[in-house]
Amino acid sequence: KSVFILGFVLIMIGCTDTKQAKPVLDEPAKETVMAESNENSFVYNESEAIWGFVIDTLTGNEKLIQLKPVEKDALTAELVEEIVNKTWTRIQIKFLKTSNDTVFISIPDSEVLTQQMGTAGAESFMVSTVYSFTELKGIKYVSFDFEVGDHASPGVYDRNSWESNNY
């Protein structure tokens, strides 16, 4: 468990985009420094997660695993929304609706996801969220609605969307 946490922290720090414009005034500079330190804060709460990543000690690669079993009959989209929001405290999703085999969610404030977590962090969020929602009976797809950014894009995803990464 501690290897997973250490690996995740190292990935988050290593993949955080540190390029920032320098503020013109002194007062905004203080705000920028605070925001920059918040970027590296731990945004993932493994104790709440259904799915998460561990580092394979033999290969050094990340591996997606189910962290806790779920009772599919009792699982609802609203419950998954709550779990995701407790797992990823700085990215709050809103469950919108279910239509056929697709869950629709939005991320009203997506800046942390798209600009501050780095590509690996954003991908970890997207993958674990898709896997969590597709635990629901009959759900195969998750439609994300948020403002596109450097590290994540809205769209419809399923468990095979990241097949090249062998999750």
Side-chain angles (χ1 to χ4, degrees), residues 123-167:
E123 185 172 296
S124 293
F125 167 82
M126 299 288 286
V127 171
S128 65
T129 300
V130 166
Y131 271 71
S132 295
F133 273 103
T134 55
E135 285 294 325
L136 294 167
K137 278 188 172 181
I139 297 300
K140 295 181 182 177
Y141 303 98
V142 179
S143 176
F144 288 88
D145 180 27
F146 57 86
E147 191 173 321
V148 68
D150 293 340
H151 301 293
S153 297
V156 178
Y157 295 86
D158 67 9
R159 289 187 176 198
N160 295 320
S161 295
W162 297 275
E163 201 167 290
S164 63
N165 292 335
N166 299 316
Y167 297 134

Side-chain angles (χ1 to χ4, degrees), residues 7-159:
F8 188 82
V9 169
L10 291 174
I11 289 170
M12 292 299 293
I13 291 170
C15 295
T16 299
D17 188 3
T18 57
K19 296 178 187 173
Q20 286 193 327
K22 294 184 180 180
V24 177
L25 303 173
D26 286 338
E27 199 58 37
K30 291 178 187 171
E31 292 174 12
T32 302
V33 170
M34 288 174 62
E36 196 171 303
S37 64
N38 285 339
E39 284 182 23
N40 292 328
S41 68
F42 205 64
V43 298
Y44 180 75
N45 181 359
E46 179 184 335
S47 68
E48 299 293 335
I50 297 173
W51 288 89
F53 290 90
V54 295
I55 303 297
D56 184 327
T57 54
L58 296 176
T59 65
N61 296 329
E62 280 189 324
K63 181 179 177 184
L64 181 69
I65 63 165
Q66 188 168 10
L67 299 172
K68 62 174 125 181
V70 293
E71 192 176 318
K72 291 190 180 205
D73 291 334
L75 199 61
T76 66
E78 292 82 4
L79 183 56
V80 175
E81 171 190 32
E82 184 179 328
I83 291 167
V84 170
N85 286 338
K86 286 181 178 178
T87 301
W88 300 91
T89 57
R90 294 188 54 217
I91 307 167
Q92 296 297 291
I93 66 168
K94 301 273 188 230
F95 164 69
L96 302 174
K97 67 178 182 175
T98 300
S99 180
N100 299 320
D101 59 358
T102 306
V103 165
F104 293 81
I105 63 171
S106 70
I107 306 172
D109 182 8
S110 60
E111 186 176 356
V112 170
L113 172 65
T114 62
Q115 300 300 124
Q116 296 177 5
M117 292 177 63
T119 302
E123 185 172 296
S124 293
F125 167 82
M126 299 288 286
V127 171
S128 65
T129 300
V130 166
Y131 271 71
S132 295
F133 273 103
T134 55
E135 285 294 325
L136 294 167
K137 278 188 172 181
I139 297 300
K140 295 181 182 177
Y141 303 98
V142 179
S143 176
F144 288 88
D145 180 27
F146 57 86
E147 191 173 321
V148 68
D150 293 340
H151 301 293
S153 297
V156 178
Y157 295 86
D158 67 9
R159 289 187 176 198

